[in-house]
Amino acid sequence: MRKMAPLLIVFLTLSMFAQSLTVMATTKDQLVETAKTYIGTPYHYGGTTPNGFDCSGYINYVFEQLDVNLPRTTSGLYQEGTSVSKSDLEVGDIVFFNTFGSGVSHAGIYIGDGEFIHASTSRGVTTDSLNSDYWSPRYLGAKRVTETEPEIEQASLETSRELEPGEYRDVKENHWAYDEVLNLSQDDVIHGTGDDEFGVNGDLTRAEVASLLVRANDLSAEGKNSSFIDVEGHWSAKEVAAAEQAGFLDHLTGERFKPEEKVTREEVAVMVANAFDLEANGQNGFTDVTQVHDAYDEITALKEHGIINGYDDGTFRPNHTITRAEFAIVLYKLMN
């Protein structure tokens, strides 16, 4: 047995090393996925939320989702971590630029293949190439913060703690929708996607919205039959039938419901206004939802009741999809 001990130690060491590599790879995938969730979010000087970001506010927000706390300013970020050469860049490294004057004035997150994601002053959150004609001559350097902040690995390893009712591993206490998700889950209105995950950044489907509105209104779905020919056998068939008969789906025409189609912010506004009998009394102020818009009244009603907000640039973006976390906030406001 003593002769086997060194082999056992080597095996355990290799196993732990392999697990560490897996954790790091998984965490970096999560970082990129989280960062890309906010593509299209407008630039807002001093912004630190999905309503609008500046470059360092965006980086802070993304890393906070993985429990990594960083300095608030770009110059502060430049003092963090370990310097890495451009040829050794890894996913998750923070890249820095001089866009005017001297010194660091802009930063983004490296996402691989020579690309980085950042909050651009002209286009909001977007991706660009480090080797582009604009960014290449302005590149200053990069810092690696994931190795000096063990929390980023600990966040992925934290699977042993028993969750409280209504908690999910991808909706931590510092998440902007934590309270809403927790309360709705505890009230059995919303559920996760499995494996203790809520699917916080996943887009909602038409079937999911219909089902959530039925639950929120405490409607019985038993014994209901839908006129839509494509919901028979679908998990949401009874809820869709209940939503249809309650008038939540009056905006739809034709014989197909398309239960797996991703819903837009516009359609959510229509379904919610129908479900909660919300009416408009004034104007919404959105530059991209004028009075000729088909869903003008419904969007205006939700704005007037404080259920939805637009973006800092004055738009509502009716054709954008809505995530599960965003709809949780809408639903919570409606029910409270």
Side-chain angles (χ1 to χ4, degrees), residues 75-92:
S75 58
L77 289 170
Y78 198 51
Q79 304 303 316
E80 283 290 299
T82 304
S83 296
V84 292
S85 65
K86 195 173 184 179
S87 60
D88 291 329
L89 283 172
E90 294 181 0
V91 172

Side-chain angles (χ1 to χ4, degrees), residues 11-70:
F11 174 76
L12 290 174
T13 301
L14 290 174
S15 297
M16 293 173 65
F17 179 69
Q19 287 180 339
S20 177
L21 290 178
T22 300
V23 167
M24 291 179 66
T26 301
T27 301
K28 289 177 179 179
D29 288 342
Q30 292 174 343
L31 181 66
V32 173
E33 181 181 353
T34 300
K36 288 185 175 181
T37 298
Y38 304 103
I39 287 179
T41 299
Y43 181 89
H44 179 68
Y45 182 75
T48 59
T49 74
N51 289 326
F53 292 113
D54 63 16
C55 67
S56 57
Y58 169 67
I59 292 171
N60 268 261
Y61 189 86
V62 170
F63 275 88
E64 280 177 2
Q65 306 311 302
L66 284 84
D67 285 348
V68 178
N69 296 313
L70 296 173

